[in-house]
């Protein structure tokens, strides 16, 4: 159901109408008391009923709030502009907040793209842009937002791996939180459209492996870090050995055949790559 503007007058116009009815009622009562006229009595009753009906037409709209009006089950419209208004009497009114609302989802236990159980939670910031949809198209728009947020978060979490260990994927939940947040925002916006709700932002606020595999995954991350560090050390050692051999050959400091080069490479690599301190050995004879 689409939102439409509700008929309204300035509330002080309604107060003027009430004042006129009160004056007419007083005059009718005075006329009835003085002359006991049936016409004055009927007129007084009519004015009294009109006054009571008119009093039900006043409403106050607070800033960043709207009201949805229905009359005997028929949708009439929405008033969003703050102020004191006079509108159709006997209408039912549903208050809808237009303020920005944020909530933290519960920590959900889901499986990522690789099937690893993880814990994930998000913060969702939203506001209502269509009051009629929020009231009529869903039972409770706040409950709807909470439920669909969890559904969308489960869907997005299952589309990406927790971490990109082997560079098999372009995006991972841990390393690309902004990209994942943007995808989550788009997914939730498509879900909330039916409720007249606009998503302002959705971001992951908690992400961790489930307790049953957290220790194993920590060891995996540590092993990856160790391998990466060792690769840097080995690459640096190879470069240094290559530079040393080339410098010895270019400056003709010593003549090295292939066997001597291999032995020197072996010794230098052991010295550079070893994690323990090396004890120097002074050779006073031949290198053999």
């Amino acid at each position: 159901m689409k939102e439409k503007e509700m008929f309204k007058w300035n509330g002080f116009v309604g107060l003027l109408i009430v004042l006129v009815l009160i004056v007419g009622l007083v005059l009718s009562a005075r006329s009835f008391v003085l002359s006991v006229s049936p016409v004055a009595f009927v007129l007084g009753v009519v004015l009294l009923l009109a006054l009571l009906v008119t009093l039900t037409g006043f409403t106050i709209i607070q800033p960043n709030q709207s009201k949805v009006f229905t009359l005997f089950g028929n949708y009439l419209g929405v008033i969003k502009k703050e102020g004191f208004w006079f509108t159709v009497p006997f209408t039912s009114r549903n208050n809808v907040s237009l303020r920005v609302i944020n909530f933290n989802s519960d920590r959900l236990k889901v499986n990522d793209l690789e099937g690893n159980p993880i814990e994930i939670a998000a913060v969702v910031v939203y506001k209502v842009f269509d009051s009629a949809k929020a009231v009529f198209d869903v039972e409770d728009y706040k409950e709807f937002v909470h439920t669909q947020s969890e559904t969308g978060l489960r869907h997005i979490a299952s589309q990406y791996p927790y971490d990109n260990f082997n560079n098999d994927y372009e995006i991972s939940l841990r390393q690309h939180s902004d990209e994942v947040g943007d995808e989550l925002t788009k997914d939730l916006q498509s879900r909330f459209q039916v409720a007249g709700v606009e998503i302002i932002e959705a971001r992951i606020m908690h992400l961790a492996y489930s307790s049953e595999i957290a220790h194993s995954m920590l060891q995996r991350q540590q092993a990856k870090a160790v391998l990466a560090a060792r690769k840097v050390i080995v690459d640096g050692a190879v470069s240094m050995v290559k530079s040393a051999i080339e410098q010895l050959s270019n400056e003709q400091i010593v003549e090295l055949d292939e066997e001597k080069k291999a032995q020197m490479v072996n010794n230098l690599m052991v010295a550079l790559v070893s994690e323990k301190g090396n004890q120097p050995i002074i050779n006073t004879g031949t290198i053999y």
Side-chain angles (χ1 to χ4, degrees), residues 53-111:
V53 171
T54 303
L55 290 175
T56 65
F58 291 99
T59 187
I60 296 176
I61 308 297
Q62 301 293 339
N64 277 331
Q65 186 185 54
S66 68
K67 287 187 178 181
V68 181
F69 293 80
T70 56
L71 179 63
F72 306 128
N74 296 315
Y75 167 58
L76 298 182
V78 176
I79 298 179
K80 286 186 174 181
K81 188 174 182 180
E82 66 272 12
F84 178 49
W85 302 104
F86 177 74
T87 184
V88 179
F90 289 128
T91 51
S92 300
R93 298 143 194 196
N94 292 295
N95 293 326
V96 179
S97 175
L98 303 180
R99 299 180 178 92
V100 174
I101 304 173
N102 72 282
F103 77 96
N104 299 330
S105 69
D106 296 332
R107 293 186 179 182
L108 306 177
K109 187 174 180 180
V110 300
N111 293 331

Side-chain angles (χ1 to χ4, degrees), residues 10 32 38 45 60 69 71 80 83 85 121 128 159 182 202-204 206 227 243 267-268 273 278:
N10 190 296
F32 176 74
V45 172
I60 296 176
F69 293 80
L71 179 63
K80 286 186 174 181
W85 302 104
V128 175
Q159 301 300 306
D182 292 341
R203 288 289 181 267
I204 294 176
H206 172 77
L227 289 175
S243 176
N267 293 338
L268 288 175
V273 175
N278 299 294

Side-chain angles (χ1 to χ4, degrees), residues 115-226:
N116 298 317
I118 61 174
E119 292 181 354
I120 190 170
V123 56
V124 179
V125 184
Y126 70 95
K127 67 176 182 178
V128 175
F129 72 89
D130 191 317
S131 302
K133 286 185 176 181
V135 171
F136 298 119
D137 289 358
V138 292
E139 185 69 26
D140 184 333
Y141 77 89
K142 290 185 178 181
E143 183 66 26
F144 179 83
V145 167
H146 287 200
T147 302
Q148 290 299 318
S149 294
E150 293 185 358
T151 303
L153 184 57
R154 288 180 182 275
H155 173 71
I156 292 298
S158 65
Q159 301 300 306
Y160 302 102
Y162 177 92
D163 209 342
N164 195 357
F165 288 107
N166 301 317
N167 296 321
D168 295 332
Y169 309 99
E170 294 182 357
I171 297 178
S172 66
L173 297 174
R174 187 181 69 85
Q175 296 173 316
H176 303 87
S177 58
D178 290 339
E179 291 83 350
V180 174
D182 292 341
E183 288 298 319
L184 178 60
T185 300
K186 293 177 182 178
D187 183 85
L188 294 183
Q189 186 58 69
S190 64
R191 296 174 184 271
F192 294 169
Q193 193 72 26
V194 66
V197 173
E198 174 188 1
I199 290 295
I200 299 175
E201 185 181 28
R203 288 289 181 267
I204 294 176
M205 59 169 290
H206 172 77
L207 181 65
Y209 282 113
S210 295
S211 57
E212 59 265 27
I213 66 166
H215 181 67
S216 299
M217 288 303 177
L218 178 60
Q219 289 181 325
R220 181 178 178 181
Q221 291 177 346
Q222 291 174 340
K224 180 185 177 183
V226 170

